[in-house]
Amino acid sequence: LDGGADGIGNGEGTLTLGANAVVQGAGGLGAQNYYGNYYGGINHLVNNGKISATLAGYSLYVNNNGNLTNNKTIEADGGILSIGNGGTFTNSSGALLEAKNAGVLTIAPAGSWSNSGTIRVADATSTVNLGGSFTLAAIGTLSNSAGGTVNLTGVLDNTGSTLSLSNTTGSLNLVGGSITGGTVQQAGANVLTFAGYPYINYNTLDGVTVRGDVNVQASDSNYATLSIRNGLTVRSEDGLSNGVLNVS
């Protein structure tokens, strides 16, 4: 796929990519092409090979209108890969979702998604966007020890759970995303950060407890924004005393 109006799709049923199959480049894979044209039928996709966005500045859309299952590798290797299928998305045990070489990987199916494999940001130049609607358990193994970027662009239901940020996960940037319930445990430089314009009123903490000071600070020319719903409790990182909400 060369980044034009290329698309691979099939009618109603399931398309299975074999163990040695490689789909790479840019365009559309699934029931819709690059421009979102509909091929017809409910289309499920099972990947047992490799799907790779390899063209810098161009997108490869995995946008079948049914369920998507990844049993091997889906990666943004220098390009932009967007998972936006119309059903659920499952990253199976042993499977890999990866952004590398300045790649951008977005997970944002219309249905729920879950990861039993690994989500990896391979280097400091790459980005993973966690979109759609999902629970903390659904994130599974997230590896960002290389210091890349992890953005929350969707809705994380953290009710009854503790999201722990660490040197393995790095910081979590709310870029129009929201966290509902539970606790966020910050650790040193691994903290929540908040994007600014045009995400006014979209970066949301809804009934959340944060351990570690919360800093709503502009990192560039745009001011940072945070919307608080149903209360926000800020404690010290060790949880033994009150924390601080800094706005600047």
Side-chain angles (χ1 to χ4, degrees):
L1 303 177
D2 65 7
D6 299 305
I8 298 175
N10 68 306
E12 186 171 1
T14 299
L15 172 64
T16 299
L17 301 178
N20 296 319
V22 177
V23 177
Q24 63 182 20
L29 174 61
Q32 302 172 1
N33 68 10
Y34 185 86
Y35 294 113
N37 296 323
Y38 182 59
Y39 285 109
I42 300 299
N43 181 309
H44 304 297
L45 177 60
V46 177
N47 176 47
N48 296 321
K50 179 188 286 188
I51 301 172
S52 182
T54 56
L55 297 180
Y58 290 88
S59 294
L60 175 56
Y61 298 95
V62 184
N63 57 4
N64 61 296
N65 59 8
N67 298 330
L68 171 63
T69 302
N70 180 44
N71 294 321
K72 195 170 183 182
T73 302
I74 296 178
E75 63 181 18
D77 184 1
I80 304 166
L81 193 142
S82 296
I83 296 172
N85 60 294
T88 62
F89 169 56
T90 302
N91 195 53
S92 302
S93 177
L96 176 65
L97 298 171
E98 184 172 50
K100 62 183 181 182
N101 298 321
V104 179
L105 172 66
T106 297
I107 307 168
S112 62
W113 64 266
S114 63
N115 169 45
S116 296
T118 299
I119 302 171
R120 182 162 64 209
V121 189
D123 53 66
T125 65
S126 297
T127 300
V128 167
N129 296 317
L130 303 176
S133 298
F134 56 97
T135 64
L136 179 62
I139 298 175
T141 300
L142 173 63
S143 175
N144 184 28
S145 57
T149 300
V150 178
N151 295 325
L152 176 60
T153 59
V155 179
L156 168 59
D157 183 354
N158 193 47
T159 304
S161 301
T162 298
L163 170 62
S164 296
L165 303 178
S166 65
N167 290 333
T168 299
T169 65
S171 293
L172 181 64
N173 311 306
L174 271 68
V175 183
S178 65
I179 301 174
T180 300
T183 299
V184 178
Q185 175 68 64
Q186 302 182 119
N190 305 298
V191 297
L192 293 175
T193 65
F194 308 92
Y197 180 83
Y199 301 103
I200 299 172
N201 298 328
Y202 289 99
N203 301 323
T204 303
L205 297 179
D206 185 350
V208 175
T209 296
V210 180
R211 292 179 57 166
D213 293 346
V214 176
N215 297 301
V216 185
Q217 297 176 324
S219 59
D220 52 30
S221 58
N222 292 323
Y223 49 84
T225 64
L226 170 62
S227 177
I228 298 171
R229 297 178 183 172
N230 298 309
L232 172 65
T233 301
V234 182
R235 303 289 292 172
S236 60
E237 195 171 298
D238 61 12
L240 300 179
S241 59
N242 291 329
V244 177
L245 173 62
N246 295 306
V247 180
S248 63

